[in-house]
Amino acid sequence: MEHNLEAKELEKIHVHQVYEDIAEHFSSTRYKPWPVVEDFLLSQPLGSIGADVGCGNGKYIHVNPNVYISGSDRSLNLIKIVCEKGFEGLVCDGLSLAYRSNAFDFAISIAVIHHFASAERRLEAIKEILRILRVGGTCLVFVWALEQEKNSKRKFETQDEMVSWTKKDVVYHRYYHLFKAGELDELVKDLPCEILKSGYDRDNHYVILKKK
């Protein structure tokens, strides 16, 4: 799974195509902002420009009306939903974002990096987010945690899992890499950024990074 060609094919079948097929159903379940993400967005200065990388149905784009956020996602069908809501949405791969370097004051990537099927591709995805940030800009990255809370319905045996999603009696299998505690911090330690905060929330690990 660590070979890039294998990883790309796995993502194509068990991430990209799945989200195209379940986009509308998935969107109907995604409407309430997570508190850590909401706080991060509301903390941004008036007039700031941000990017939501892997924006899904765009549920975070409208959280702070005093900033401008451009959403992007690999799924055309999810971006159609974003645009129907009146927001800006671009279809592009997380490893090749359609933005110039040093363009944004802040960025978020919520429940996206864990869909990349090799450590190298996960690292490249974070590098790409940092590329589009200006020096001093900040980003918030959330990933699923291997360590789930006691009352969680999800329990994982390994770090690389296929998680099922059922739509009209059809079962789809989405690929996830479950991050161990400290793994996300370790992944970014040699990048041109400072870890402002790292934590655990709602069965996820997260970091807030500041670009150097």
Side-chain angles (χ1 to χ4, degrees):
M1 192 179 294
E2 290 298 310
H3 190 282
N4 267 349
L5 288 178
E6 293 179 0
K8 289 171 66 175
E9 187 65 18
L10 184 69
E11 292 163 20
K12 179 180 178 181
I13 298 170
H14 291 290
V15 181
H16 304 157
Q17 189 56 54
V18 171
Y19 278 105
E20 291 290 33
D21 292 342
I22 71 171
E24 187 173 346
H25 187 228
F26 175 81
S27 177
S28 70
T29 69
R30 297 299 187 269
Y31 50 86
K32 188 175 181 180
W34 293 348
V36 173
V37 185
E38 186 174 34
D39 289 347
F40 176 81
L41 292 173
L42 292 175
S43 73
Q44 301 304 317
L46 175 69
S48 296
I49 299 174
D52 185 346
V53 178
C55 65
N57 67 351
K59 74 172 184 177
Y60 288 113
I61 294 178
H62 70 285
V63 166
N64 184 349
N66 296 315
V67 303
Y68 175 80
I69 297 178
S70 175
S72 65
D73 201 281
R74 181 64 173 71
S75 168
L76 172 61
N77 287 334
L78 283 172
I79 289 299
K80 286 180 178 178
I81 294 171
V82 172
C83 294
E84 287 169 1
K85 293 179 178 180
F87 303 135
E88 179 179 293
L90 305 175
V91 177
C92 58
D93 193 286
L95 299 183
S96 183
L97 297 175
Y99 303 118
R100 61 182 175 85
S101 300
N102 308 306
F104 293 95
D105 300 306
F106 68 93
I108 59 173
S109 177
I110 311 304
V112 177
I113 301 298
H114 54 221
H115 284 312
F116 288 97
S118 73
E120 293 80 10
R121 290 170 69 80
R122 292 188 284 273
L123 180 62
E124 287 303 313
I126 296 177
K127 284 182 178 179
E128 186 67 355
I129 296 170
L130 290 172
R131 178 187 68 79
I132 67 173
L133 283 179
R134 63 170 176 79
V135 173
T138 57
C139 65
L140 170 63
V141 177
F142 259 79
V143 295
W144 270 19
L146 180 64
E147 305 85 3
Q148 300 286 295
E149 295 177 351
K150 290 182 179 180
N151 61 349
S152 175
K153 295 179 181 179
R154 298 186 295 257
K155 299 297 179 185
F156 301 112
E157 299 297 327
T158 65
Q159 283 193 264
D160 296 284
E161 296 271 357
M162 293 293 179
V163 180
S164 62
W165 181 284
T166 303
K167 173 190 172 187
K168 295 182 179 178
D169 298 325
V170 178
V171 179
Y172 298 87
H173 298 284
R174 294 175 294 165
Y175 168 80
Y176 284 82
H177 174 78
L178 290 309
F179 279 71
K180 293 180 179 179
E183 183 179 351
L184 184 56
D185 301 61
E186 183 70 17
L187 186 65
V188 304
K189 71 174 186 178
D190 294 324
L191 298 182
C193 63
E194 172 189 355
I195 298 177
L196 297 180
K197 185 177 181 180
S198 63
Y200 178 92
D201 181 67
R202 296 168 182 257
D203 297 326
N204 292 266
H205 295 300
Y206 70 89
V207 291
I208 297 177
L209 308 176
K210 182 178 180 180
K211 182 176 178 178
K212 295 181 178 178

